[in-house]
């Protein structure tokens, strides 16, 4: 594994000592605390609360936020290393870590005022509270501006009506950031962001989704029926919600890129092991060039994807523009991860198709990567728009 | 209470060991190093005692600059300070223990922890030697500890049983698996470890008394043998286990 760091000589492709330590902790944690339970949570679709409690205790749920809010003050590069290791073992736990850090908590950190940060971030960073984030609605996905949820101002509060769908941590979350229009029938310029808390009158959880993959990750619909949201829960000014959401997604996409790299690396490692053990025609699969070429492609692609993810993280840490870098990393990593899991099953043959081998699950989990936090097509729009500027 | 934990920097348990070109050392290229797993139990136990009774825990490692990475891991777990006893040269257990013991004379800890063995050279000697050099009692393969009123009660793992012993402080304790469940370094711990200084001291000179002449890898594992199927195969299996494998 390599990363990009500045050195007096130029660029280094080595992990720093700090990153190696983060990698080792994440790896040990994933092996000991997550791996033994992966299929249990996948089959039951139960959210692994106990795992998230432990993740909170070791700081994984507040990794990139400053110490003053209870975070570990890590860099985005460190976070990429962490995400890959967790996701290699269970992408659905990686998704929870990514969504909690990269969406809800990140939104409040980036756009909250000091009071809001003090109030919400410490409990989110410690994992005492779990964060959800709501942008997508039943009728609006990539076209986020077409949302129907409305928050009408009424004195010192807003009355929120509508719903959000496919919300990660929808049914298990405690603190949510949701987007809604402050003026009905207006466009995206009237979208604002609000902090919601579990238990608010009129705020309920609808259907929990039954999914193809990422089954240990909780995905549910949020329903708002005349929810009274205090004005002090608004993030930033009215009408800033859409721009805020896009900015939050730019950061979130680095997490999804790292998650995808983890899946691809996992698929490669399982395939390497299997190809060397499995004998056909009197020799290991790994001695057949058809299999070797698949492994070589997977390895090359995952390395390239990792470097793109590191570049996006590096730019974010340096305060450089990272919108396009994040889009490229997310687009490429999710596509090569999809290919890698496909090839992994092909290498495993019939055994790849059954649940006793871990690649079956990776194949189901990976598909969300080309869809969530902006589809591959949306990423290409972002990249092309920049090229044609 | 002042507690010292001796830690060593060893190749990862998953390393595919290759012997170096000199035939006497291992080839360290591409090897990932970790905090010796038995030392993790030692670190955890020291932290637990500090959390209960207060005091200070120092981690001590003897070796090269690279050992700092392992010291930092101990710091990330929550150790207060770290000391690197510098020496670029290979030392045997005797010389390692001597170097550490000389430092500990000046630090004067109440309790000294070591892992029961380092998984690199597996000599299992350093704990006992440190105790000897310092004239202290030592408890090896400890799986349970209770500290009260200046005395330490320990449970030792011995063949087929546990032995209960009591020692007065200061003493040396060698940690065995089962003593505790080592904590993961938290991300905050890792970030703070960067800020904690590592004191560097030239290790006291000591001459090694055991010289490594050469290293050899064990013979490759032979593939298994299928003797037959069902009940009919049992007599042949028993014969082979008795005459060839000589295990029954």
């Amino acid at each position: 594994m390599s990363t990009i760091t500045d050195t007096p000589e130029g660029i280094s492709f080595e992990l720093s000592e700090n990153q190696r330590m983060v990698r080792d902790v994440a790896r040990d944690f994933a092996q000991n605390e997550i791996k033994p339970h992966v299929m249990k949570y996948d089959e039951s679709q139960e959210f692994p609360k106990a795992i998230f409690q432990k993740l909170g205790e070791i700081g994984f749920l507040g990794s990139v936020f400053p110490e003053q809010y209870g975070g570990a003050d890590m860099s985005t590069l460190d976070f990429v290393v962490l995400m890959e290791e967790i996701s290699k073992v269970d992408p659905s736990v990686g998704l929870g870590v990514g969504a909690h850090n990269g969406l809800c908590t990140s939104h409040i950190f980036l756009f909250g005022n000091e009071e809001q940060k003090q109030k919400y971030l410490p409990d989110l960073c410690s994992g005492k509270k779990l964060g959800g984030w709501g942008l997508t609605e039943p009728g609006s996905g990539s076209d986020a501006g077409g949302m129907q949820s409305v928050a009408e101002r009424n004195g010192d509060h807003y009355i929120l009506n509508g719903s959000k769908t496919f919300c990660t941590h929808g049914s298990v979350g405690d603190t949510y950031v949701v987007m809604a229009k402050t003026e009905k029938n207006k466009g995206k310029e009237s979208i604002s962001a609000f902090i919601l808390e579990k238990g608010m009158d009129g705020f309920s959880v609808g259907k929990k989704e039954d999914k193809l993959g990422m089954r240990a990750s909780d995905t549910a619909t949020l329903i708002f029926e005349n929810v009274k949201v205090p004005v002090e829960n608004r993030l930033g000014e009215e009408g800033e919600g859409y721009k805020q959401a896009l900015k939050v997604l730019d950061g979130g996409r680095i997490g999804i890129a790292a998650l995808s790299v983890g899946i691809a690396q996992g698929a490669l490692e399982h395939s390497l092991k299997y190809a060397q053990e499995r004998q056909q025609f009197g020799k290991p699969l790994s001695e057949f060039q058809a299999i070797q070429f698949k492994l070589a492609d997977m390895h090359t692609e995952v390395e390239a994807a990792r470097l793109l993810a590191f570049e996006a993280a590096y730019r974010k840490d340096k305060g450089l523009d990272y919108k396009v870098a994040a889009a490229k990393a997310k687009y490429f990593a999710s596509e090569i991860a999809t290919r890698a899991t496909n090839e992994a099953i092909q290498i495993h043959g019939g055994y790849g198709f059954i649940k006793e081998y871990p690649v079956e699950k990776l194949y189901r989990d990976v598909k969300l990567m080309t869809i969530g936090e902006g589809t591959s097509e949306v990423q290409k729009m972002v990249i092309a728009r920049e090229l044609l500027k | 209470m002042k507690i010292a934990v001796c830690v060593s920097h060893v190749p990862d348990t998953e390393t595919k060991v290759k012997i170096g070109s000199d035939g006497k050392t291992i080839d360290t290229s591409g090897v990932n190093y970790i905090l010796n797993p038995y030392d993790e139990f030692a670190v955890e136990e020291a932290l637990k005692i500090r959390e209960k009774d207060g005091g200070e825990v120092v981690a001590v490692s003897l070796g090269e600059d690279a050992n700092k990475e392992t010291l930092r891991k101990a710091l990330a777990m929550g150790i207060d300070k770290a000391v690197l006893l510098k020496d670029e040269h290979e030392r045997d257990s005797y010389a390692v223990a001597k170097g550490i013991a000389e430092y500990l004379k000046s630090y004067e800890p109440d309790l000294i922890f070591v892992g029961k063995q380092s998984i690199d050279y597996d000599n299992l000697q350093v704990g006992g030697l440190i105790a000897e050099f310092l004239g202290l009692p030592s408890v090896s393969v400890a799986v349970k500890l209770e500290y009260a009123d200046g005395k330490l009660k320990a449970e030792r793992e011995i063949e087929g049983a546990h032995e209960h012993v009591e020692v007065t402080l200061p003493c040396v304790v060698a940690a065995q698996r089962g003593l505790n469940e080592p904590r993961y370094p938290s991300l905050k711990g890792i970030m703070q470890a960067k800020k904690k200084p590592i004191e560097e001291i030239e290790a006291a000179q000591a001459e090694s008394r055991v010289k490594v002449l050469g290293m050899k890898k064990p013979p490759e594992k032979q593939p298994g043998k299928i003797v037959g199927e069902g009940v009919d195969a049992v007599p042949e299996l028993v014969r082979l286990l008795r005459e060839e494998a000589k295990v029954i």
Side-chain angles (χ1 to χ4, degrees), chain A residues 47 49 95-96 99-100 103-104 130-136 164-178 196-199 203-209 211 216-224:
Chain A
F47 179 74
K49 268 208 168 107
L95 183 65
H100 176 90
L103 299 178
C104 175
L130 214 51
W133 193 74
L135 178 68
T136 294
K164 293 289 166 186
T165 191
F166 303 144
C167 175
T168 300
H169 300 153
S171 80
V172 297
D174 304 283
T175 304
Y176 300 82
V177 173
V178 301
L196 261 57
E197 285 179 274
K198 185 163 133 180
F203 175 25
S204 61
V205 179
K207 191 175 86 176
K208 178 175 163 161
E209 304 296 347
K211 306 193 296 288
S217 171
D218 177 80
T219 311
T221 298
L222 308 179
I223 299 166
F224 320 120

Short mmCIF file of all heavy atoms in Angstrom, two decimals, chain A residues 47 49 95-96 99-100 103-104 130-136 164-178 196-199 203-209 211 216-224:
data_model
loop_
_atom_site.label_atom_id
_atom_site.label_comp_id
_atom_site.label_asym_id
_atom_site.label_seq_id
_atom_site.Cartn_x
_atom_site.Cartn_y
_atom_site.Cartn_z
N PHE A 47 -28.51 -4.27 12.41
CA PHE A 47 -27.44 -3.28 12.51
C PHE A 47 -26.50 -3.67 13.66
O PHE A 47 -26.95 -3.90 14.78
CB PHE A 47 -28.03 -1.89 12.76
CG PHE A 47 -26.98 -0.83 12.90
CD1 PHE A 47 -26.28 -0.38 11.78
CD2 PHE A 47 -26.67 -0.30 14.14
CE1 PHE A 47 -25.29 0.59 11.91
CE2 PHE A 47 -25.68 0.67 14.27
CZ PHE A 47 -25.00 1.11 13.15
N LYS A 49 -24.88 -2.90 16.36
CA LYS A 49 -24.74 -1.85 17.37
C LYS A 49 -23.48 -2.02 18.22
O LYS A 49 -22.78 -1.05 18.50
CB LYS A 49 -25.96 -1.87 18.31
CG LYS A 49 -27.07 -0.96 17.86
CD LYS A 49 -27.89 -0.48 19.07
CE LYS A 49 -28.80 0.66 18.63
NZ LYS A 49 -30.18 0.31 18.54
N LEU A 95 -19.34 1.42 5.32
CA LEU A 95 -20.35 2.39 4.87
C LEU A 95 -20.89 3.20 6.05
O LEU A 95 -21.05 4.41 5.96
CB LEU A 95 -21.50 1.66 4.17
CG LEU A 95 -22.59 2.55 3.58
CD1 LEU A 95 -22.04 3.41 2.45
CD2 LEU A 95 -23.77 1.72 3.08
N GLY A 96 -21.13 2.52 7.17
CA GLY A 96 -21.61 3.21 8.37
C GLY A 96 -20.60 4.22 8.87
O GLY A 96 -20.94 5.35 9.21
N ALA A 99 -20.49 7.13 6.31
CA ALA A 99 -21.67 8.01 6.33
C ALA A 99 -21.70 8.84 7.61
O ALA A 99 -22.01 10.03 7.59
CB ALA A 99 -22.95 7.18 6.20
N HIS A 100 -21.37 8.19 8.72
CA HIS A 100 -21.41 8.91 10.01
C HIS A 100 -20.39 10.05 10.03
O HIS A 100 -20.71 11.18 10.36
CB HIS A 100 -21.14 7.92 11.14
CG HIS A 100 -21.06 8.55 12.48
ND1 HIS A 100 -22.16 8.72 13.29
CD2 HIS A 100 -20.02 9.10 13.16
CE1 HIS A 100 -21.78 9.34 14.40
NE2 HIS A 100 -20.49 9.58 14.34
N LEU A 103 -20.85 12.40 6.27
CA LEU A 103 -22.07 13.13 5.89
C LEU A 103 -22.60 13.94 7.08
O LEU A 103 -22.35 15.13 7.17
CB LEU A 103 -23.13 12.15 5.36
CG LEU A 103 -22.71 11.37 4.09
CD1 LEU A 103 -23.79 10.39 3.67
CD2 LEU A 103 -22.39 12.32 2.94
N CYS A 104 -23.28 13.28 8.00
CA CYS A 104 -23.93 14.02 9.09
C CYS A 104 -22.94 14.86 9.91
O CYS A 104 -23.07 16.08 10.03
CB CYS A 104 -24.65 13.04 10.01
SG CYS A 104 -25.36 13.82 11.46
N LEU A 130 -25.48 8.35 16.86
CA LEU A 130 -25.18 7.97 15.49
C LEU A 130 -25.84 8.96 14.54
O LEU A 130 -26.97 9.39 14.77
CB LEU A 130 -25.72 6.55 15.27
CG LEU A 130 -24.93 5.63 14.35
CD1 LEU A 130 -23.47 5.57 14.75
CD2 LEU A 130 -25.53 4.24 14.40
N GLY A 131 -25.11 9.30 13.48
CA GLY A 131 -25.61 10.34 12.58
C GLY A 131 -26.22 9.81 11.28
O GLY A 131 -25.72 8.84 10.72
N GLY A 132 -27.28 10.46 10.85
CA GLY A 132 -27.90 10.17 9.55
C GLY A 132 -27.96 11.44 8.73
O GLY A 132 -27.83 12.55 9.27
N TRP A 133 -28.14 11.30 7.43
CA TRP A 133 -28.12 12.48 6.56
C TRP A 133 -29.18 12.26 5.47
O TRP A 133 -29.20 11.18 4.87
CB TRP A 133 -26.73 12.60 5.94
CG TRP A 133 -26.39 13.88 5.27
CD1 TRP A 133 -26.10 15.06 5.86
CD2 TRP A 133 -26.23 14.10 3.85
NE1 TRP A 133 -25.76 16.01 4.92
CE2 TRP A 133 -25.84 15.44 3.67
CE3 TRP A 133 -26.39 13.29 2.72
CZ2 TRP A 133 -25.61 16.00 2.42
CZ3 TRP A 133 -26.16 13.84 1.48
CH2 TRP A 133 -25.77 15.19 1.32
N GLY A 134 -30.04 13.22 5.25
CA GLY A 134 -31.14 13.01 4.31
C GLY A 134 -31.19 14.02 3.19
O GLY A 134 -31.43 15.21 3.41
N LEU A 135 -30.91 13.55 1.98
CA LEU A 135 -31.01 14.41 0.80
C LEU A 135 -32.01 13.78 -0.17
O LEU A 135 -32.96 14.42 -0.61
CB LEU A 135 -29.63 14.56 0.15
CG LEU A 135 -29.56 15.40 -1.14
CD1 LEU A 135 -29.84 16.87 -0.84
CD2 LEU A 135 -28.18 15.28 -1.80
N THR A 136 -31.79 12.50 -0.49
CA THR A 136 -32.61 11.80 -1.49
C THR A 136 -34.05 11.60 -1.00
O THR A 136 -34.30 11.35 0.17
CB THR A 136 -31.95 10.43 -1.80
OG1 THR A 136 -30.71 10.69 -2.43
CG2 THR A 136 -32.82 9.58 -2.70
N LYS A 164 -37.67 11.49 3.45
CA LYS A 164 -36.36 11.20 2.85
C LYS A 164 -36.23 9.70 2.73
O LYS A 164 -36.67 8.96 3.62
CB LYS A 164 -35.24 11.74 3.76
CG LYS A 164 -35.20 13.25 3.86
CD LYS A 164 -34.73 13.89 2.59
CE LYS A 164 -35.03 15.38 2.57
NZ LYS A 164 -34.70 16.00 1.27
N THR A 165 -35.62 9.27 1.64
CA THR A 165 -35.52 7.83 1.46
C THR A 165 -34.06 7.41 1.38
O THR A 165 -33.18 8.26 1.16
CB THR A 165 -36.29 7.42 0.19
OG1 THR A 165 -36.39 6.01 0.16
CG2 THR A 165 -35.63 7.89 -1.08
N PHE A 166 -33.80 6.12 1.55
CA PHE A 166 -32.44 5.54 1.49
C PHE A 166 -31.48 6.25 2.45
O PHE A 166 -30.32 6.47 2.14
CB PHE A 166 -31.87 5.63 0.07
CG PHE A 166 -32.71 4.96 -0.98
CD1 PHE A 166 -32.81 5.49 -2.27
CD2 PHE A 166 -33.39 3.78 -0.69
CE1 PHE A 166 -33.58 4.86 -3.25
CE2 PHE A 166 -34.17 3.15 -1.66
CZ PHE A 166 -34.27 3.69 -2.94
N CYS A 167 -31.99 6.61 3.62
CA CYS A 167 -31.13 7.31 4.58
C CYS A 167 -30.31 6.30 5.39
O CYS A 167 -30.87 5.44 6.07
CB CYS A 167 -31.99 8.15 5.52
SG CYS A 167 -31.06 8.94 6.82
N THR A 168 -28.98 6.40 5.28
CA THR A 168 -28.10 5.52 6.06
C THR A 168 -28.24 5.88 7.54
O THR A 168 -28.20 7.06 7.90
CB THR A 168 -26.63 5.67 5.60
OG1 THR A 168 -26.58 5.32 4.22
CG2 THR A 168 -25.69 4.75 6.37
N HIS A 169 -28.41 4.86 8.38
CA HIS A 169 -28.70 4.99 9.81
C HIS A 169 -30.09 5.57 10.03
O HIS A 169 -30.38 6.15 11.08
CB HIS A 169 -27.65 5.83 10.55
CG HIS A 169 -26.27 5.25 10.45
ND1 HIS A 169 -25.13 5.98 10.52
CD2 HIS A 169 -25.87 3.97 10.23
CE1 HIS A 169 -24.07 5.19 10.36
NE2 HIS A 169 -24.51 3.96 10.18
N GLY A 170 -30.96 5.40 9.02
CA GLY A 170 -32.33 5.92 9.11
C GLY A 170 -33.05 5.47 10.36
O GLY A 170 -33.62 6.28 11.08
N SER A 171 -33.01 4.16 10.65
CA SER A 171 -33.79 3.69 11.80
C SER A 171 -32.97 3.59 13.08
O SER A 171 -33.53 3.42 14.15
CB SER A 171 -34.47 2.35 11.48
OG SER A 171 -33.55 1.28 11.61
N VAL A 172 -31.65 3.69 12.99
CA VAL A 172 -30.84 3.55 14.21
C VAL A 172 -30.14 4.86 14.61
O VAL A 172 -29.46 4.92 15.63
CB VAL A 172 -29.75 2.45 14.06
CG1 VAL A 172 -30.39 1.08 13.85
CG2 VAL A 172 -28.80 2.77 12.90
N GLY A 173 -30.34 5.91 13.83
CA GLY A 173 -29.65 7.17 14.09
C GLY A 173 -30.25 7.94 15.26
O GLY A 173 -31.35 7.64 15.73
N ASP A 174 -29.50 8.93 15.73
CA ASP A 174 -29.98 9.79 16.82
C ASP A 174 -30.03 11.24 16.37
O ASP A 174 -30.89 12.00 16.77
CB ASP A 174 -29.01 9.70 18.01
CG ASP A 174 -28.81 8.28 18.48
OD1 ASP A 174 -29.72 7.77 19.16
OD2 ASP A 174 -27.78 7.68 18.14
N THR A 175 -29.07 11.63 15.54
CA THR A 175 -28.97 13.01 15.07
C THR A 175 -28.94 12.98 13.55
O THR A 175 -28.23 12.17 12.96
CB THR A 175 -27.65 13.65 15.58
OG1 THR A 175 -27.63 13.52 17.01
CG2 THR A 175 -27.55 15.11 15.20
N TYR A 176 -29.72 13.83 12.93
CA TYR A 176 -29.81 13.82 11.47
C TYR A 176 -29.63 15.22 10.92
O TYR A 176 -30.00 16.20 11.55
CB TYR A 176 -31.20 13.33 11.01
CG TYR A 176 -31.55 11.95 11.48
CD1 TYR A 176 -32.06 11.75 12.76
CD2 TYR A 176 -31.41 10.85 10.64
CE1 TYR A 176 -32.40 10.47 13.21
CE2 TYR A 176 -31.74 9.57 11.07
CZ TYR A 176 -32.23 9.39 12.36
OH TYR A 176 -32.56 8.13 12.78
N VAL A 177 -29.06 15.28 9.72
CA VAL A 177 -29.11 16.53 8.97
C VAL A 177 -29.97 16.25 7.74
O VAL A 177 -29.70 15.28 7.02
CB VAL A 177 -27.69 16.98 8.54
CG1 VAL A 177 -27.80 18.20 7.61
CG2 VAL A 177 -26.84 17.33 9.75
N VAL A 178 -31.02 17.05 7.56
CA VAL A 178 -31.88 16.84 6.39
C VAL A 178 -32.05 18.15 5.62
O VAL A 178 -32.02 19.24 6.18
CB VAL A 178 -33.27 16.27 6.76
CG1 VAL A 178 -33.13 14.94 7.49
CG2 VAL A 178 -34.08 17.25 7.57
N LEU A 196 -32.00 17.52 12.90
CA LEU A 196 -33.16 16.89 13.54
C LEU A 196 -32.66 15.90 14.58
O LEU A 196 -31.58 15.33 14.43
CB LEU A 196 -33.98 16.12 12.50
CG LEU A 196 -35.22 16.82 11.94
CD1 LEU A 196 -34.87 18.16 11.34
CD2 LEU A 196 -35.90 15.95 10.89
N GLU A 197 -33.47 15.73 15.60
CA GLU A 197 -33.10 14.71 16.59
C GLU A 197 -34.21 13.69 16.73
O GLU A 197 -35.40 14.02 16.60
CB GLU A 197 -32.84 15.38 17.94
CG GLU A 197 -31.51 16.10 17.97
CD GLU A 197 -31.26 16.78 19.28
OE1 GLU A 197 -31.72 17.93 19.44
OE2 GLU A 197 -30.62 16.17 20.14
N LYS A 198 -33.77 12.48 16.99
CA LYS A 198 -34.72 11.39 17.19
C LYS A 198 -35.71 11.78 18.29
O LYS A 198 -35.32 12.40 19.28
CB LYS A 198 -33.91 10.17 17.65
CG LYS A 198 -34.69 8.91 17.78
CD LYS A 198 -33.70 7.78 17.83
CE LYS A 198 -33.99 6.79 18.93
NZ LYS A 198 -32.96 5.74 18.89
N GLY A 199 -36.96 11.47 18.10
CA GLY A 199 -37.94 11.75 19.15
C GLY A 199 -38.68 13.06 18.99
O GLY A 199 -39.61 13.35 19.75
N PHE A 203 -41.64 13.35 13.78
CA PHE A 203 -40.50 12.79 13.05
C PHE A 203 -40.49 11.28 13.30
O PHE A 203 -40.28 10.83 14.43
CB PHE A 203 -39.21 13.44 13.55
CG PHE A 203 -37.95 12.87 12.96
CD1 PHE A 203 -37.93 12.23 11.72
CD2 PHE A 203 -36.74 12.98 13.66
CE1 PHE A 203 -36.76 11.72 11.19
CE2 PHE A 203 -35.56 12.46 13.14
CZ PHE A 203 -35.59 11.83 11.90
N SER A 204 -40.76 10.52 12.25
CA SER A 204 -40.79 9.07 12.45
C SER A 204 -40.01 8.35 11.37
O SER A 204 -39.63 8.94 10.36
CB SER A 204 -42.24 8.58 12.46
OG SER A 204 -42.85 8.89 11.22
N VAL A 205 -39.75 7.10 11.63
CA VAL A 205 -39.01 6.27 10.68
C VAL A 205 -39.97 5.38 9.93
O VAL A 205 -40.82 4.72 10.55
CB VAL A 205 -37.96 5.41 11.42
CG1 VAL A 205 -37.20 4.52 10.42
CG2 VAL A 205 -36.98 6.30 12.16
N GLY A 206 -39.86 5.37 8.62
CA GLY A 206 -40.74 4.52 7.81
C GLY A 206 -40.10 3.17 7.58
O GLY A 206 -39.46 2.60 8.47
N LYS A 207 -40.22 2.73 6.37
CA LYS A 207 -39.76 1.38 6.03
C LYS A 207 -38.23 1.25 6.11
O LYS A 207 -37.51 2.09 5.61
CB LYS A 207 -40.23 1.10 4.60
CG LYS A 207 -40.07 -0.34 4.19
CD LYS A 207 -40.67 -0.58 2.82
CE LYS A 207 -39.68 -0.24 1.75
NZ LYS A 207 -40.00 -0.46 0.39
N LYS A 208 -37.77 0.15 6.73
CA LYS A 208 -36.35 -0.19 6.66
C LYS A 208 -36.18 -1.05 5.40
O LYS A 208 -36.91 -2.03 5.21
CB LYS A 208 -35.92 -0.97 7.90
CG LYS A 208 -34.47 -1.38 7.85
CD LYS A 208 -33.97 -2.05 9.11
CE LYS A 208 -32.68 -2.78 8.77
NZ LYS A 208 -31.85 -3.11 9.89
N GLU A 209 -35.25 -0.67 4.56
CA GLU A 209 -35.11 -1.35 3.26
C GLU A 209 -34.49 -2.75 3.39
O GLU A 209 -33.62 -2.97 4.22
CB GLU A 209 -34.25 -0.51 2.31
CG GLU A 209 -34.73 0.92 2.08
CD GLU A 209 -36.08 1.01 1.39
OE1 GLU A 209 -36.58 -0.01 0.86
OE2 GLU A 209 -36.67 2.12 1.41
N LYS A 211 -32.19 -5.09 1.38
CA LYS A 211 -31.27 -4.75 0.30
C LYS A 211 -30.51 -5.94 -0.28
O LYS A 211 -30.32 -6.96 0.38
CB LYS A 211 -30.25 -3.71 0.80
CG LYS A 211 -30.88 -2.46 1.42
CD LYS A 211 -29.87 -1.35 1.61
CE LYS A 211 -28.75 -1.67 2.57
NZ LYS A 211 -29.16 -1.71 3.99
N ALA A 216 -25.81 -5.09 6.53
CA ALA A 216 -25.64 -4.73 7.94
C ALA A 216 -25.72 -3.22 8.12
O ALA A 216 -25.78 -2.71 9.24
CB ALA A 216 -24.31 -5.24 8.47
N SER A 217 -25.71 -2.49 7.02
CA SER A 217 -25.89 -1.04 7.10
C SER A 217 -27.38 -0.76 7.10
O SER A 217 -28.14 -1.35 6.34
CB SER A 217 -25.22 -0.38 5.89
OG SER A 217 -25.54 0.98 5.85
N ASP A 218 -27.78 0.14 8.01
CA ASP A 218 -29.19 0.41 8.18
C ASP A 218 -29.65 1.48 7.19
O ASP A 218 -29.07 2.57 7.13
CB ASP A 218 -29.39 0.89 9.62
CG ASP A 218 -30.81 1.29 9.91
OD1 ASP A 218 -31.62 0.39 10.16
OD2 ASP A 218 -31.11 2.51 9.90
N THR A 219 -30.64 1.16 6.38
CA THR A 219 -31.16 2.11 5.38
C THR A 219 -32.66 2.22 5.55
O THR A 219 -33.35 1.20 5.49
CB THR A 219 -30.85 1.61 3.96
OG1 THR A 219 -29.47 1.24 3.88
CG2 THR A 219 -31.15 2.68 2.92
N ALA A 220 -33.16 3.41 5.77
CA ALA A 220 -34.60 3.54 6.02
C ALA A 220 -35.12 4.88 5.53
O ALA A 220 -34.37 5.80 5.22
CB ALA A 220 -34.89 3.37 7.51
N THR A 221 -36.45 4.97 5.49
CA THR A 221 -37.13 6.20 5.10
C THR A 221 -37.40 7.05 6.35
O THR A 221 -37.71 6.51 7.41
CB THR A 221 -38.48 5.84 4.43
OG1 THR A 221 -38.19 5.09 3.25
CG2 THR A 221 -39.28 7.07 4.05
N LEU A 222 -37.23 8.35 6.21
CA LEU A 222 -37.56 9.27 7.30
C LEU A 222 -38.85 10.00 6.92
O LEU A 222 -38.99 10.44 5.78
CB LEU A 222 -36.45 10.31 7.50
CG LEU A 222 -35.01 9.80 7.67
CD1 LEU A 222 -34.05 10.99 7.82
CD2 LEU A 222 -34.92 8.88 8.88
N ILE A 223 -39.77 10.12 7.86
CA ILE A 223 -41.04 10.78 7.56
C ILE A 223 -41.22 12.00 8.48
O ILE A 223 -41.01 11.90 9.70
CB ILE A 223 -42.21 9.78 7.77
CG1 ILE A 223 -42.04 8.59 6.81
CG2 ILE A 223 -43.56 10.46 7.53
CD1 ILE A 223 -42.91 7.40 7.16
N PHE A 224 -41.57 13.11 7.87
CA PHE A 224 -41.77 14.34 8.65
C PHE A 224 -43.22 14.78 8.52
O PHE A 224 -43.70 15.08 7.41
CB PHE A 224 -40.87 15.47 8.13
CG PHE A 224 -39.48 15.01 7.76
CD1 PHE A 224 -38.99 15.17 6.47
CD2 PHE A 224 -38.65 14.42 8.72
CE1 PHE A 224 -37.72 14.75 6.12
CE2 PHE A 224 -37.37 13.99 8.38
CZ PHE A 224 -36.89 14.16 7.08
#
